């Protein structure tokens, strides 16, 4: 169960965020409304939501997931691999001091972003991506072991982050698309397959037996509902324009 969630409002500078999506620039007013709805959806799942003010210095700072890994026993501050995002983690470090006694920090030359880390019970899968290097993953695994957890690395090719293509929904159910559907590391999960056309919906979040699903992906929504979850649809079209999904917008713990 999660009890807390941290989010950060998008700033107007979000229009200069990193993107490969080719979907045009986000509409800021619309993004603010969508962000408010996202917060409401989280509250519906029974969590306390801390909403941080927008930070105009960092165009991608609403994607707080990338700045830390939060577990029951410790927080680990990441070191973002994207140049324009370096520094976001320092702001989050200060915020997390209000929630955690045990805070560890990933150091250069290690880089890692939270979107590459998937929690499955006490085990953490860490995707090796353009943002997360081997050194960053190794440092993370060492910290996890210090607190009694385990970690393993997952090589992949086509996605921005590991969780762009795969999401754990608890109960051994894994949403997967593309190369993750048959990935040998995930062969023991019940795979809920997401088609190429709906691949954006492979990034969903489980929050206390609700699943937040991006609006407009009916095939994915039906498959998840069939697996027994209560669904909350959330429109995040403006964040999609920056390659961001539902998980990226929050830290859940
Ligand atoms: C970036 O490229 O860093 C942002 N535009 C999107 C970050 C998405 N975060 C995530 O998947 N965890």
């Amino acid at each position: 169960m999660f009890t807390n969630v941290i989010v950060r409002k998008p700033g107007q500078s979000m229009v200069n965020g990193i993107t490969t999506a080719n979907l045009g620039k986000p509409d800021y007013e619309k993004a603010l409304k969508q962000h408010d709805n996202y917060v409401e959806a989280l509250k519906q799942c029974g969590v306390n939501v801390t909403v941080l003010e927008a930070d105009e210095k960092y165009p991608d700072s609403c994607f707080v997931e990338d700045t830390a890994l939060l577990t029951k026993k410790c927080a680990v501050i990441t070191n973002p691999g994207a140049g324009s995002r370096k520094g976001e983690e320092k702001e989050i470090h200060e915020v997390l001091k209000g929630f955690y006694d045990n805070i560890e920090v990933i150091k250069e030359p290690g880089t890692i972003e939270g979107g590459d880390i998937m929690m499955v019970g006490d085990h953490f899968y860490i995707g090796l991506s353009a943002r997360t290097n081997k050194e960053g993953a190794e440092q993370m695994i060492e910290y996890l072991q210090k607190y009694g957890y385990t970690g393993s690395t997952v090589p992949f090719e086509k996605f921005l982050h590991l969780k762009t293509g795969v999401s754990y929904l608890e109960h051994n159910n894994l949403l997967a698309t593309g190369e993750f559907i048959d990935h040998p590391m995930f062969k023991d999960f019940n795979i809920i397959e997401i088609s190429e056309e709906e691949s954006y919906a492979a990034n969903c979040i489980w929050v206390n037996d609700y699943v937040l699903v991006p609006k407009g992906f009916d095939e994915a929504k039906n498959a998840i509902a069939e697996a027994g979850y209560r669904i909350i649809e959330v429109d995040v079209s403006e964040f999609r324009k920056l390659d961001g999904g539902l998980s990226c917008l929050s830290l859940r713990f």
Side-chain angles (χ1 to χ4, degrees), residues 8 60-61 63-70 76-80 85 87-93 96 112-115 248 251:
R8 186 185 289 286
D60 286 296
S61 55
F63 301 114
V64 282
E65 173 178 64
D66 294 319
T67 60
L69 172 67
L70 303 184
V76 185
I77 308 301
T78 64
N79 182 24
R85 302 200 59 186
E88 284 181 32
E89 77 287 358
K90 295 199 172 58
E91 317 270 336
I92 289 291
H93 192 159
L96 289 174
I112 187 163
E113 296 188 357
C248 324
L251 285 162

Side-chain angles (χ1 to χ4, degrees), residues 28-250:
Y28 179 57
E29 291 306 317
K30 207 167 158 191
L32 277 180
K33 285 203 191 84
Q34 291 182 347
H35 198 264
D36 284 346
N37 291 339
Y38 178 75
V39 169
E40 287 312 309
L42 288 166
K43 286 183 180 163
Q44 209 181 312
C45 306
V47 292
N48 301 315
V49 186
T50 300
V51 182
L52 306 175
E53 283 314 311
D55 186 346
E56 296 290 352
K57 287 194 298 300
Y58 299 104
D60 286 296
S61 55
C62 60
F63 301 114
V64 282
E65 173 178 64
D66 294 319
T67 60
L69 172 67
L70 303 184
T71 75
K72 279 204 182 98
K73 298 180 202 158
C74 65
V76 185
I77 308 301
T78 64
N79 182 24
S84 66
R85 302 200 59 186
K86 286 189 193 292
E88 284 181 32
E89 77 287 358
K90 295 199 172 58
E91 317 270 336
I92 289 291
H93 192 159
E94 288 309 308
V95 174
L96 289 174
K97 285 179 183 167
F99 292 93
Y100 279 91
D101 292 328
N102 298 323
I103 304 184
E104 311 286 353
V105 178
I106 301 292
K107 296 173 196 77
E108 292 286 345
T111 66
I112 187 163
E113 296 188 357
D116 277 319
I117 311 170
M118 182 171 73
M119 177 177 74
V120 178
D122 287 343
H123 186 78
F124 293 78
Y125 290 93
I126 304 176
L128 297 174
S129 68
R131 304 285 180 88
T132 295
N133 63 20
K134 222 164 155 275
E135 172 70 29
E138 277 164 10
Q139 284 183 38
M140 182 60 81
I141 291 171
E142 224 166 277
Y143 285 136
L144 288 168
Q145 286 170 347
K146 177 173 160 188
Y147 292 92
Y149 299 118
T150 53
S152 52
T153 54
V154 184
F156 65 90
E157 314 250 304
K158 291 202 182 110
F159 296 93
L160 169 62
H161 288 122
L162 174 68
K163 286 186 291 184
T164 314
V166 74
S167 303
Y168 187 55
L169 304 184
E170 305 296 320
H171 315 291
N172 206 43
N173 292 326
L174 192 71
L175 272 189
T177 193
E179 66 192 280
F180 294 122
I181 293 170
D182 298 317
H183 202 292
M185 288 199 79
F186 300 137
K187 67 176 180 6
D188 292 331
F189 290 100
N190 303 319
I191 301 285
I192 303 175
E193 221 175 293
I194 304 295
S195 67
E196 204 67 48
E197 298 73 56
E198 295 210 351
S199 66
Y200 180 71
N203 181 268
C204 285
I205 47 174
W206 177 96
V207 186
N208 305 342
D209 265 353
Y210 286 92
V211 176
L212 271 58
V213 178
K215 191 162 178 269
F217 299 88
D218 287 347
E219 201 188 299
K221 182 179 74 177
N222 294 337
I224 298 164
E226 247 167 59
Y229 297 96
R230 291 175 291 186
I231 306 278
I232 307 178
E233 268 190 291
V234 190
D235 191 356
V236 281
S237 64
E238 302 316 292
F239 301 95
R240 185 184 185 194
K241 292 175 180 171
L242 299 178
D243 300 335
L246 284 166
S247 77
C248 324
L249 288 169
S250 60

